[in-house]
Amino acid sequence: MTAELKPPISHQDAFLEAYRCLLCGGPLTPAPCILACPAEVDVPSFIGAISVGEPTEAAEIILSANPLGGTCARVCPTEELCEGACVLNSTRQRPVDIGRLERYAMDHAFNEGDLLVPPKPAHNGKKVAVIGAGPAGMTGAFELARLGYKVTLIDSRPATGGLVRSAIAPYRQLRDPLDQETARLWELGVEFRLDTTVDGELLKELEAACDAILLAVGMGKDATTGCKGGNLDGVLASLPFIEKIKSADLPSVGDRVAVIGGGNTAMDVARQSVRLGAKEVTVLYRRSLDEMPAYAVEYEEAIEEGVRFAWLTSPLQYHGNGRVSAIQCSRMELGEEDSSGRRKALPVDGSDFLLEVDTVIEAVGQTPRADFLAIIPGIEIQSGLIVVDPETGATSNPLYFAAGDALGGTTVVEAVRMGKVAALGINANLSE
Ligand SMILES: Cc1cc2nc3c(=O)[nH]c(=O)nc-3n(C[C@H](O)[C@H](O)[C@H](O)COP(=O)(O)OP(=O)(O)OC[C@H]3O[C@@H](n4cnc5c(N)ncnc54)[C@H](O)[C@@H]3O)c2cc1C
Ligand code: SF4
């Protein structure tokens, strides 16, 4: 359906690429690529294993630090993390292609049917419920099961993976290897309760039955601009738009698409619209390039693919007769810094203009799961995010720990890191 942005590499190319690695660092000075990886994957060791023809051993090294190693190989912003830190950058060479080598190792193991599941430990007599089977919950469940806990992983959706399955752009990852990563949890004895939304009643049951509860519920629906005309046909929210594409139900967007927002989701949605055949895709961002939160590489790739940017531009109202046909926009100017430290975008009087469009896609962030969080007794919430001890993932209610986007994370590998922290935090707490 959609070509992969980072397709697999051949055995020969993997060898050649692995030989470029200087295998930096040592026990006292870890390589910069390890330090830049939130999951602390031992990059030189796994690349070293590939270079001596041991890709399964490489996969084992990756999985020992990151149970979602196959997913991260596809979706990690490596240019900002490990590859951005690679020492080869300072010698004017391109960095080692760590992401694709990671994928090579993981694909090799999983294609051979080798799930590389660690030995199942004896049950330690304690039970933990993990609410949310996205990256944070899957990682937390894996680490807890590996430590001997009886783990129940619960999710409203019929399948694991959270936003990886439903929202991450299909040109990065459609679904694979989520099924193998899930099968590893089965093999370790994790019990699954999918298609099950935790409400107040179920929460009480879990509180009575479990020694700890890990909240890995992510964020909720798309936020909206609240512009008048938002209910016209052709005005779409980013998450359902991507989910449709991932389920091969391709939306028809017409020739002219406007994307509202300046984050990585806005870049994904714009680039996806190009792939759907739109001739003019314009991102409307109310500030300027300097303030735009999307990664530089995402912006540059969007430009290469023909996406245009309308800076200092904000939508006021959507017009149309049944279906959207134009956006009334305002030019903006930057004022004083706001509480986020960014300069406030202020409308310029009398600067309104009309932009003709066939489709508008709003990508202005997600809302917190306020209703669900409100039913949990005694947990501190700030600006919709769960407050935890960053060293342990402990919330202000001693039964509850939390991880992932619900704390303000923004990437899969960060959710993996927080899932590991919370699992170790629960273990330390229950071992006292
Ligand atoms: C459009 C988009 C593109 C992205 N692209 C990338 C990318 O390319 N690379 C990258 O690294 N990151 C990307 N991200 C971010 C990444 O997807 C998230 O950081 C990551 O998925 C967070 O994991 P999580 O487990 O915290 O939450 P989620 O993945 O959101 O999972 C939370 C799970 O909890 C479940 N849940 C919630 N409430 C309940 C309840 N009451 N009962 C039962 N289940 C419940 C939900 O159904 C969901 O499955 C993207 C995000 C978006 C929105
Ligand atoms: S920094 Fe680059 S060269 Fe050094 S170990 Fe990491 S990937 Fe290899």
Side-chain angles (χ1 to χ4, degrees):
M1 180 182 57
T2 305
E4 284 184 277
L5 205 58
K6 293 185 181 174
I9 48 176
S10 66
H11 292 298
Q12 196 186 5
D13 287 347
F15 276 126
L16 292 175
E17 191 61 18
Y19 270 110
R20 295 185 61 239
C21 176
L22 306 179
L23 306 177
C24 316
L28 297 177
T29 50
C33 50
I34 303 180
L35 294 174
C37 173
E40 294 177 31
V41 169
D42 187 343
V43 176
S45 293
F46 94 70
I47 293 183
I50 292 174
S51 72
V52 295
E54 296 291 348
T56 304
E57 189 189 324
E60 224 164 350
I61 294 167
I62 295 163
L63 289 170
S64 67
N66 182 352
L68 265 66
T71 284
C72 282
R74 289 161 171 81
V75 308
C76 261
T78 48
E79 299 84 355
E80 302 285 329
L81 300 171
C82 52
E83 290 172 19
C86 176
V87 293
L88 295 189
N89 289 303
S90 58
T91 61
R92 295 209 193 136
Q93 298 178 61
R94 66 172 176 81
V96 175
D97 201 342
I98 301 170
R100 288 175 83 191
L101 287 175
E102 184 174 21
R103 173 162 181 185
Y104 167 76
M106 292 310 311
D107 282 358
H108 175 87
F110 286 165
N111 291 343
E112 296 276 301
D114 205 341
L115 292 177
L116 302 170
V117 183
K120 199 167 158 180
H123 177 32
N124 66 11
K126 301 210 166 101
K127 288 187 188 163
V128 182
V130 179
I131 307 176
M138 287 177 75
T139 304
F142 184 86
E143 297 298 334
L144 287 161
R146 180 148 84 163
L147 290 165
Y149 290 87
K150 174 91 191 116
V151 181
T152 306
L153 182 57
I154 310 168
D155 203 292
S156 315
R157 288 181 168 266
T160 57
L163 288 175
V164 177
R165 198 175 285 271
S166 66
I168 288 191
Y171 53 80
R172 293 185 209 285
Q173 178 170 351
L174 196 55
R175 276 177 292 276
D176 289 344
L178 275 175
D179 290 347
Q180 287 98 332
E181 288 166 344
T182 304
R184 297 181 80 236
L185 296 173
W186 278 106
E187 297 271 330
L188 261 187
V190 171
E191 182 203 349
F192 287 76
R193 287 180 71 178
L194 299 175
D195 254 332
T196 305
T197 297
V198 178
D199 55 11
E201 201 179 326
L202 180 51
L203 203 63
K204 282 209 178 82
E205 280 175 35
L206 297 173
E207 285 184 347
C210 297
D211 299 284
I213 297 176
L214 173 55
L215 299 169
V217 292
M219 295 287 278
K221 291 185 178 148
D222 279 273
T224 143
T225 60
C227 283
K228 208 168 155 198
N231 55 354
L232 288 168
D233 286 348
V235 179
L236 310 173
S238 69
L239 295 182
F241 171 75
I242 300 178
E243 189 160 8
K244 257 179 155 235
I245 298 170
K246 289 193 91 151
S247 53
D249 175 11
L250 302 186
S252 157
V253 291
D255 287 342
R256 296 161 305 181
V257 175
V259 175
I260 317 293
N264 292 313
T265 301
M267 300 305 114
D268 275 357
V269 163
R271 297 174 69 185
Q272 201 63 67
S273 300
V274 172
R275 286 164 174 77
L276 287 172
K279 295 201 174 77
E280 273 175 36
V281 179
T282 311
V283 173
L284 272 54
Y285 181 53
R286 61 189 169 152
R287 294 186 172 93
S288 67
L289 176 59
D290 288 345
E291 292 80 26
M292 190 168 80
Y295 293 133
V297 62
E298 296 294 327
Y299 165 68
E300 283 153 18
E301 288 177 3
I303 291 277
E304 275 167 29
E305 292 174 10
V307 174
R308 302 172 186 185
F309 286 77
W311 306 114
L312 294 165
T313 303
S314 186
L316 294 174
Q317 186 174 345
Y318 304 130
H319 295 281
N321 187 8
R323 184 176 176 100
V324 68
S325 58
I327 309 177
Q328 186 180 344
C329 303
S330 171
R331 298 272 182 227
M332 310 296 279
E333 61 187 358
L334 296 178
E336 299 291 304
E337 282 185 5
D338 64 15
S339 55
S340 71
R342 287 184 305 171
R343 292 176 66 192
K344 232 182 212 163
L346 303 164
V348 177
D349 281 347
S351 67
D352 294 15
F353 67 98
L354 280 183
L355 177 71
E356 292 184 358
V357 292
D358 300 307
T359 299
V360 175
I361 307 166
E362 293 193 345
V364 291
Q366 289 174 261
T367 53
R369 294 195 187 272
D371 290 350
F372 174 69
L373 297 180
I375 62 175
I376 302 170
I379 61 162
E380 191 186 342
I381 307 288
Q382 261 175 29
S383 308
L385 303 175
I386 305 172
V387 178
V388 296
D389 173 348
E391 304 289 317
T392 62
T395 71
S396 44
N397 178 331
L399 187 63
Y400 286 90
F401 288 70
D405 279 12
L407 316 187
T410 52
T411 56
V412 171
V413 71
E414 190 55 21
V416 166
R417 184 191 70 77
M418 291 194 237
K420 284 166 65 174
V421 166
L424 292 177
I426 289 171
N427 186 45
N429 191 39
L430 295 181
S431 308
E432 275 171 7

